[in-house]
Amino acid sequence: MAFIQTDTFTLRGYECDAFGRMSIPALMNQMQESANRNALDYGIGIADLVGQGFGWMLMRFRLRIHQYPRYGQTIRLTTYPTAVEKYFIYRDFQVRAEDDTLLADASSIWLVFGIEKRTMVPLPEFIRNLKTPTGIDPLPKLSLKPDFQTMPFVAHLEKDVEVGWFSIDQNHHVNNVAYVGWLLESVTDSWLQTRELAEIDLVYRTESHWRDQLRIELATETSDTLVHRISQYESGKEVLLARSRWRDNGFVIPAQEG
């Protein structure tokens, strides 16, 4: 059987930023939760894979925000697999308002790793046999190697973080949303206060784990586009690469007294 997962959420205060917009980590966490529920229906949830010695890993994710959901708003989040190949499974997401306005969408690529050796393996047969829904209109497939992955990178800003216990998920590696939180916190104050994220394109390169030391780096590509890199501090091995596009947010920051 094929399954489409649809969940309805009403935004709480802790899911929103200082301007009352839904935060990017909150949105990505809800997308991940809906994807987990859809995987359970298909019999390919985390526990299903662990029982056979496998785990899920996100390889690519591109999120586009057309209109930010706001505090108290009810949104409808839909997700489904769109294609299955030898090594990869593709999944799309849509976020809509109650009047069916498209607020955000995302496309993603997932792979399976063997728990014992922590290396990518071909998708097991029980995943390759998955049936994708009919009558859907998939987003364009993400490339396995986007152009920013091979571009020269010269950091303009950098900061270091240590992976904490609460950044680790059930696969015993850093949750993919935690990286995005660190990446966005590295953006300058002026950008965070006067702009909003319009799109982010992510390439996850390798795992990191509890107590790992990571370096978060940022470079300006154009007047509205940044490129990002997260790497292991000691080895320099790349963990994540990303490109983000920003637009004016229309808010006026009140002057600080004193």
Side-chain angles (χ1 to χ4, degrees), residues 146-215:
D147 62 345
F148 62 84
Q149 185 173 335
T150 56
M151 290 170 48
F153 187 97
V154 179
H156 299 160
L157 293 171
E158 61 182 42
K159 63 184 294 186
D160 298 332
V161 298
E162 180 180 89
V163 175
W165 175 255
F166 295 106
S167 297
I168 304 299
D169 63 20
Q170 294 180 71
N171 287 315
H172 301 283
H173 58 209
V174 174
N175 180 274
N176 64 80
V177 180
Y179 292 115
V180 177
W182 295 327
L183 179 156
L184 294 176
E185 289 287 2
S186 71
V187 176
T188 62
D189 292 355
S190 61
W191 276 57
L192 292 173
Q193 292 178 321
T194 63
R195 305 190 187 196
E196 63 185 20
L197 187 72
E199 180 177 326
I200 188 164
D201 194 356
L202 301 142
V203 180
Y204 293 87
R205 300 276 285 155
T206 193
E207 297 179 287
S208 56
H209 304 91
W210 187 30
R211 298 301 185 195
D212 281 356
Q213 304 292 321
L214 302 179
R215 173 150 290 176

Side-chain angles (χ1 to χ4, degrees), residues 107-179:
S107 49
S108 61
I109 306 175
W110 300 75
L111 59 83
V112 167
F113 66 93
I115 290 176
E116 184 177 349
K117 295 184 178 180
R118 310 299 290 190
T119 56
M120 182 175 73
V121 298
L123 294 182
E125 185 177 359
F126 73 97
I127 297 178
R128 288 204 306 272
N129 290 338
L130 174 151
K131 302 295 183 184
T132 59
T134 59
I136 58 175
D137 185 18
L139 295 168
K141 274 188 176 182
L142 295 174
S143 62
L144 297 178
K145 185 178 288 188
D147 62 345
F148 62 84
Q149 185 173 335
T150 56
M151 290 170 48
F153 187 97
V154 179
H156 299 160
L157 293 171
E158 61 182 42
K159 63 184 294 186
D160 298 332
V161 298
E162 180 180 89
V163 175
W165 175 255
F166 295 106
S167 297
I168 304 299
D169 63 20
Q170 294 180 71
N171 287 315
H172 301 283
H173 58 209
V174 174
N175 180 274
N176 64 80
V177 180
Y179 292 115

Side-chain angles (χ1 to χ4, degrees), residues 4-253:
I4 294 176
Q5 181 70 29
T6 301
D7 293 301
T8 301
F9 301 96
T10 299
L11 301 193
R12 300 173 175 86
Y14 59 79
E15 296 168 322
C16 299
D17 66 9
F19 297 112
R21 304 167 302 190
M22 188 175 194
S23 74
I24 298 301
L27 176 57
M28 289 185 63
N29 276 323
Q30 288 188 351
M31 288 179 164
Q32 186 165 267
E33 177 61 23
S34 288
N36 289 341
R37 294 176 183 179
N38 192 223
L40 287 172
D41 285 340
Y42 274 106
I44 57 172
I46 294 173
D48 299 302
L49 267 67
V50 168
Q52 300 195 44
F54 303 113
W56 282 115
M57 185 177 294
L58 180 61
M59 177 187 172
R60 292 278 281 113
F61 190 86
R62 184 179 68 185
L63 170 65
R64 301 185 299 180
I65 310 292
H66 307 292
Q67 181 180 322
Y68 272 77
R70 307 283 301 175
Y71 170 65
Q73 184 175 356
T74 298
I75 60 174
R76 186 175 73 254
L77 200 162
T78 304
T79 185
Y80 40 80
T82 60
V84 183
E85 298 176 348
K86 181 178 180 180
Y87 285 96
F88 306 111
I89 183 167
Y90 297 77
R91 172 177 291 279
D92 283 358
F93 302 82
Q94 287 189 355
V95 180
R96 293 185 178 272
E98 290 182 288
D99 64 2
D100 209 39
T101 298
L102 181 64
L103 303 176
D105 55 34
S107 49
S108 61
I109 306 175
W110 300 75
L111 59 83
V112 167
F113 66 93
I115 290 176
E116 184 177 349
K117 295 184 178 180
R118 310 299 290 190
T119 56
M120 182 175 73
V121 298
L123 294 182
E125 185 177 359
F126 73 97
I127 297 178
R128 288 204 306 272
N129 290 338
L130 174 151
K131 302 295 183 184
T132 59
T134 59
I136 58 175
D137 185 18
L139 295 168
K141 274 188 176 182
L142 295 174
S143 62
L144 297 178
K145 185 178 288 188
D147 62 345
F148 62 84
Q149 185 173 335
T150 56
M151 290 170 48
F153 187 97
V154 179
H156 299 160
L157 293 171
E158 61 182 42
K159 63 184 294 186
D160 298 332
V161 298
E162 180 180 89
V163 175
W165 175 255
F166 295 106
S167 297
I168 304 299
D169 63 20
Q170 294 180 71
N171 287 315
H172 301 283
H173 58 209
V174 174
N175 180 274
N176 64 80
V177 180
Y179 292 115
V180 177
W182 295 327
L183 179 156
L184 294 176
E185 289 287 2
S186 71
V187 176
T188 62
D189 292 355
S190 61
W191 276 57
L192 292 173
Q193 292 178 321
T194 63
R195 305 190 187 196
E196 63 185 20
L197 187 72
E199 180 177 326
I200 188 164
D201 194 356
L202 301 142
V203 180
Y204 293 87
R205 300 276 285 155
T206 193
E207 297 179 287
S208 56
H209 304 91
W210 187 30
R211 298 301 185 195
D212 281 356
Q213 304 292 321
L214 302 179
R215 173 150 290 176
I216 319 296
E217 297 175 292
L218 174 153
T220 302
E221 185 176 43
T222 70
S223 60
D224 63 1
T225 306
L226 304 174
V227 286
H228 312 260
R229 179 170 63 191
I230 299 179
S231 57
Q232 295 174 354
Y233 181 79
E234 291 188 3
S235 69
K237 188 175 184 180
E238 290 178 343
V239 175
L240 177 146
L241 297 167
R243 173 186 280 142
S244 61
R245 183 173 59 84
W246 301 71
R247 60 189 174 225
D248 290 342
N249 63 18
F251 293 102
V252 177
I253 304 299

